[in-house]
Amino acid sequence: MNILIAYFSYTGHTKGIARQIQALTGGDLFEIRPAIPYPQDYDTAERQGRRETRDGYHPPLAEPSPDLSGYDALLLGTPNWFNTAAPPVATFLAENDFGGKPIALFCTNGGGGLGHIPADVKALRRDAKLLDSLNLYEDGGAGAKAKIADWLKKNGLM
């Protein structure tokens, strides 16, 4: 199975999970990055992220997405930003045609769980075939690898 692992990461937690997923699946990594990076100061970035999610803003991305036609499935990672996907992930979803490919979400959070990320992704991509989602607190801790493997198996991706 040819898998694309696309993710946005601000603190590095989601990036770390994406790399663990890649090690287990052999999938291709694509980092979703906004054209203008978020400020390094956490409080400033938080205010900006809150404003963008509230306003439904889709920031331009730093680079175009890879051609999705050659992939069988998409594993899409985002931190939970105010109970939804980070704005760059919303841009990625809005700008791409997934052609009915299955999408498995993985989310890192600081205590908010999945929030309403699956429902918001479905609202952005009504044609999306969402698989079960993975929710990890921060970097997932010592049990992350086992949780990731279980999630991949449950979704038929490993």
Side-chain angles (χ1 to χ4, degrees):
M1 180 174 281
N2 203 6
I3 295 173
L4 177 65
I5 305 154
Y7 67 93
F8 167 75
S9 188
Y10 176 72
T11 64
H13 294 310
T14 310
K15 183 177 197 167
I17 299 302
R19 286 181 173 169
Q20 289 185 61
I21 292 168
Q22 182 189 37
L24 292 169
T25 64
D28 296 335
L29 282 178
F30 174 72
E31 184 173 5
I32 301 167
R33 294 179 301 112
I36 300 171
Y38 286 94
Q40 289 187 5
D41 176 69
Y42 183 83
D43 291 336
T44 304
E46 182 181 36
R47 284 190 299 276
Q48 179 179 337
R50 182 181 303 274
R51 186 174 52 254
E52 289 178 358
T53 56
R54 181 191 65 226
D55 297 345
Y57 178 66
H58 295 174
L61 300 181
E63 60 186 284
S65 302
D67 178 5
L68 301 178
S69 65
Y71 293 99
D72 302 308
L74 171 67
L75 307 184
L76 183 61
T78 184
N80 175 333
W81 275 21
F82 313 102
N83 288 313
T84 194
V89 174
T91 301
F92 178 84
L93 286 163
E95 290 182 351
N96 286 288
D97 177 9
F98 299 99
K101 294 176 192 326
I103 300 172
L105 301 170
F106 60 99
C107 169
T108 58
N109 70 83
L114 278 171
H116 42 84
I117 293 171
D120 290 347
V121 168
K122 192 67 176 165
L124 278 168
R125 298 302 314 192
R126 297 203 183 282
D127 59 341
K129 178 185 172 192
L130 291 182
L131 303 176
D132 285 334
S133 300
L134 174 66
N135 172 41
L136 295 166
Y137 179 75
E138 294 184 347
D139 67 358
K145 186 174 181 180
K147 288 177 187 174
I148 293 167
D150 288 346
W151 169 70
L152 290 167
K153 288 175 189 168
K154 184 176 185 178
N155 283 314
L157 299 168
M158 188 174 112

